[in-house]
Amino acid sequence: MLVHAGIYLCVTTLMFQTVQQFQPTPFIDEIFHIPQAQKYCNGSFFEWDNKITTLPGLYIASVLFTTPLKFLFQSASCDVWHLRYINVLFNLINIVLNYKIIKKLDTGKDSEKTSKTSEISALTIGLFPVLHFFSFLYYTDPGSVMFVLATYLASLHGADKFASILGVISIIFRQTNIVWVVFAAGVKAANYLSDNAEISKIQVSPDLKDKLARFLASLVGALVRYLLVLENIRKIAIMLLPYGSVAFGFVIFVYLNNGIVVGDRSSHTAVFHLSQLLYCSLFILFFASPLLISSSKIKRFFDFTKKQTPLTVMLLVAFLYVLVQHSHVHPYLLADNRHYAFYVWRRFLGHPLLRYLFVPVYLYAMWSINDSLSTSGRTALWRIVYLICTAAVTVPHTLLEFRYFVIPYLFFRLNVKLRSESIAYIEFLFFCAINLATFLVFTRKTVHWSDLAEPQRIIW
C-alpha cells in the first residue's frame, strides 16, 4: 500500500504543479477561502468573511500545517501554493483510510489476492475524479472527506468515543457532516441488530403437544423476547451515546445559530428537492459503472421488472411525479459555465424531453445500487440508513452540485465487493481516463466572463 501511496503522491504532485502554473491565483470559491485562511495564519481569528457558509475547520488545519513549516523552511508561508497543497496530503491520507476500511469490511480475510485487490480499490477510490480534482485547489472537500472516513473507520473498530471526536472535527469542516456521524451510529445499530437476530428465532417447539404446556411456553418465550429486546435497546443506547452527544451538541449549535449555515444564507435556503436522489443515483451509476453495469445485472433487472410489473410501473410514475413536482433549478446552475453540472443540465437533465427519458435509467440505477449492496452483505436496515442519510445531505439543496454526491458515492463504493480482480483494474483505468480528460479541459479550455479580467476554467 505504501508503494501505491508513494506513486499517487508523485503523480498528483506533478499534476498539482501544472495546475498551479495555469491557475496561480485564487479561483471561484477560493477567492473567499484563501483570504480567510491567510487571516487565520496572521492570527486574526475573529475576522470573518460573511460570504463563507462553512465552519473554519479548513483554516484551522491550514494554520496547523503551515506554522511548523515556517520554522523549518524560511520560504514557507500561507500563500496559494502551500494552502492548496494541504489537499494533496488530505487525499493521500484518504487512500490509506480507504484501504483500512476495505480491509475491515472484507470478510475474505488476508489472502494475497484479496489484499492486492483491496490495495487497487483503495487507490482507485482515492482517484475518484470529483474528489481527486480538488487536491489541486483550496476547497473543503478533501479534508471534510478525510475526517468523515476516519470517523467511519473508528466506528467500525468500536472506538466510539474517538469516532465521535473525529465526527465533531468533520462537522467543523462542513456542517452537513453531522449526517455522516448519524450514519456511523445507524450502521453500528444495524450491524448489532443483525448480529442479534436470534431474538426472532425464539419460538415454541412444534413437538410440544400439550396445550397448557404450549401456552406456558409461549408466555415464557414472549417474556424472554421482551427482556432481550429491552436489553438490546439498553445496549444500543449505551453504544450510541457518544454519537448522540455529538448530535445533541449540533442541535444546540443550530438553535443558537438559527440554522445550519453560517454567513450568507441567501443562496443556501433549504428546499424539498426530491429529484436530487434521482440525480445522485445517476451520478453513482456513472462513476461505479464497472460495478453496476454488466450483462448479468441487466438481465436480472429485466427479470425483476417482469416479476414485479405493478411495482415497476408505480416507481416509474413516482419518478415522473418527482421530476415534475419536486425539481428546483438554482440560478447558479443556469449561469455558471465553469462547472460540468452546467453542461450536464443544459444538454441532458434540463432538456425538456430528455429529462423524462432518463426515468428508466434512474430505476435501473437505484435497483443496481440496492442489488450491489445487498449481494455484498449489507442488510435491509443498513440500506435504509444509507438511503435516509443520502437523502438528508442532498434533498435540501436547490443547487445541482456534484460535490454533494461525493460521500454517498464513497460509502457505496467502500461497502461493495468487486465481482473479480479485473473489475478493479477496469475501474482504475476508467478513473485515470476521466482524471486526464478533466485535467486537460482545465488546462487547455477557457471561458471568458465580461466582469472578470482573467480567463475562467472548467471544474467539477
Side-chain angles (χ1 to χ4, degrees):
M1 191 65 236
L2 289 176
V3 174
H4 289 115
I7 294 171
Y8 170 88
L9 181 61
C10 292
V11 173
T12 301
T13 298
L14 288 173
M15 296 175 71
F16 173 88
Q17 193 60 41
T18 304
V19 167
Q20 307 318 300
Q21 292 172 1
F22 280 91
Q23 187 63 50
T25 56
F27 180 64
I28 308 185
D29 287 1
E30 288 185 320
I31 64 175
F32 308 114
H33 290 310
I34 288 177
Q36 187 63 52
Q38 290 169 339
K39 290 177 184 177
Y40 269 58
C41 288
N42 294 331
S44 301
F45 298 109
F46 298 101
E47 290 185 38
W48 188 259
D49 185 341
N50 200 48
K51 291 290 184 181
I52 296 171
T53 58
T54 52
L55 293 170
L58 179 60
Y59 318 132
I60 295 169
S62 302
V63 173
L64 295 175
F65 172 71
T66 57
T67 300
L69 286 181
K70 291 177 183 177
F71 290 103
L72 295 173
F73 307 101
Q74 195 171 13
S75 60
S77 66
C78 268
D79 59 9
V80 174
W81 194 98
H82 286 90
L83 289 175
R84 285 175 174 173
Y85 198 76
I86 292 170
N87 280 339
V88 173
L89 301 180
F90 276 144
N91 267 340
L92 178 66
I93 297 170
N94 285 337
I95 291 177
V96 178
L97 291 171
N98 292 337
Y99 179 71
K100 296 290 186 182
I101 291 170
I102 290 170
K103 292 297 288 182
K104 179 63 180 174
L105 293 172
D106 186 20
T107 56
K109 299 301 178 185
D110 295 325
S111 71
E112 184 178 342
K113 185 176 180 180
T114 300
S115 181
K116 186 177 180 182
T117 303
S118 298
E119 289 184 15
I120 295 298
S121 291
L123 176 62
T124 301
I125 297 169
L127 289 170
F128 175 50
V130 182
L131 182 61
H132 180 254
F133 189 85
F134 289 101
S135 300
F136 311 135
L137 301 174
Y138 192 64
Y139 274 62
T140 60
D141 301 73
S144 168
V145 167
M146 189 193 82
F147 282 104
V148 167
L149 293 179
T151 299
Y152 185 52
L153 179 61
S155 177
L156 290 175
H157 281 281
D160 299 315
K161 291 180 182 177
F162 185 48
S164 66
I165 293 170
L166 292 169
V168 170
I169 298 173
S170 76
I171 293 167
I172 297 173
F173 270 76
R174 185 173 287 173
Q175 295 92 302
T176 53
N177 286 341
I178 181 61
V179 172
W180 303 115
V181 176
V182 173
F183 174 77
V187 166
K188 282 195 78 72
N191 291 340
Y192 180 85
L193 290 172
S194 64
D195 291 340
N196 289 271
E198 71 274 4
I199 296 174
S200 61
K201 297 177 182 177
I202 299 174
Q203 302 290 339
V204 178
S205 172
D207 297 331
L208 191 59
K209 304 299 182 183
D210 185 85
K211 290 184 179 180
L212 179 60
R214 284 185 64 84
F215 175 72
L216 293 174
S218 299
L219 288 179
V220 172
L223 179 61
V224 170
R225 286 196 298 271
Y226 175 74
L227 291 174
L228 284 173
V229 168
L230 286 181
E231 179 63 14
N232 280 329
I233 291 173
R234 186 186 69 83
K235 287 181 179 179
I236 290 172
I238 293 171
M239 181 174 62
L240 301 186
L241 186 59
Y243 307 96
S245 63
V246 176
F248 180 72
F250 187 78
V251 170
I252 293 174
F253 159 75
V254 171
Y255 175 77
L256 295 176
N257 187 56
N258 197 29
I260 293 176
V261 176
V262 297
D264 183 13
R265 305 179 188 188
S266 60
S267 299
H268 295 274
T269 54
V271 296
F272 189 63
H273 192 177
L274 204 53
S275 294
Q276 292 276 33
L277 279 177
L278 303 180
Y279 306 146
C280 184
S281 69
L282 190 62
F283 177 90
I284 295 174
L285 179 68
F286 174 76
F287 284 106
S289 54
L291 290 74
L292 293 177
I293 301 176
S294 66
S295 57
S296 61
K297 260 187 175 291
I298 293 172
K299 182 179 182 302
R300 287 194 292 115
F301 171 70
F302 280 115
D303 289 342
F304 163 79
T305 58
K306 290 176 184 176
K307 292 177 182 177
Q308 302 288 343
T309 302
L311 177 61
T312 300
V313 173
M314 184 179 72
L315 288 172
L316 291 172
V317 172
F319 292 170
L320 282 169
Y321 173 79
V322 165
L323 287 173
V324 173
Q325 295 296 327
H326 295 290
S327 291
H328 297 267
V329 183
H330 198 287
Y332 291 173
L333 181 62
L334 301 177
D336 196 341
N337 61 353
R338 298 170 298 180
H339 296 279
Y340 285 108
F342 170 87
Y343 302 96
V344 172
W345 179 262
R346 187 174 69 173
R347 297 176 184 178
F348 301 104
L349 301 184
H351 189 279
L353 178 61
L354 283 180
R355 66 191 306 249
Y356 299 111
L357 296 179
F358 273 101
V359 167
V361 182
Y362 296 139
L363 180 61
Y364 176 80
M366 290 195 174
W367 175 89
S368 190
I369 290 167
N370 180 69
D371 178 70
S372 293
L373 288 170
S374 177
T375 54
S376 297
R378 300 299 165 257
T379 64
L381 185 55
W382 192 102
R383 283 172 276 148
I384 290 170
V385 171
Y386 172 73
L387 175 61
I388 291 172
C389 290
T390 299
V393 295
T394 58
V395 171
H397 291 288
T398 306
L399 181 63
L400 172 59
E401 169 67 84
F402 293 149
R403 291 157 59 208
Y404 299 153
F405 305 148
V406 166
I407 297 181
Y409 166 83
L410 291 176
F411 277 126
F412 163 78
R413 179 60 187 83
L414 288 166
N415 281 276
V416 170
K417 296 176 184 176
L418 297 181
R419 300 188 302 276
S420 65
E421 187 178 338
S422 62
I423 297 296
Y425 289 102
I426 292 171
E427 184 185 32
F428 173 77
L429 293 173
F430 180 51
F431 279 6
C432 285
I434 296 174
N435 283 328
L436 177 61
T438 52
F439 176 77
L440 291 174
V441 168
F442 183 83
T443 54
R444 307 299 176 194
K445 171 72 176 175
T446 58
V447 293
H448 295 274
W449 284 33
S450 59
D451 57 337
L452 294 173
E454 289 187 349
Q456 300 299 294
R457 302 181 184 277
I458 301 171
I459 65 172
W460 286 107

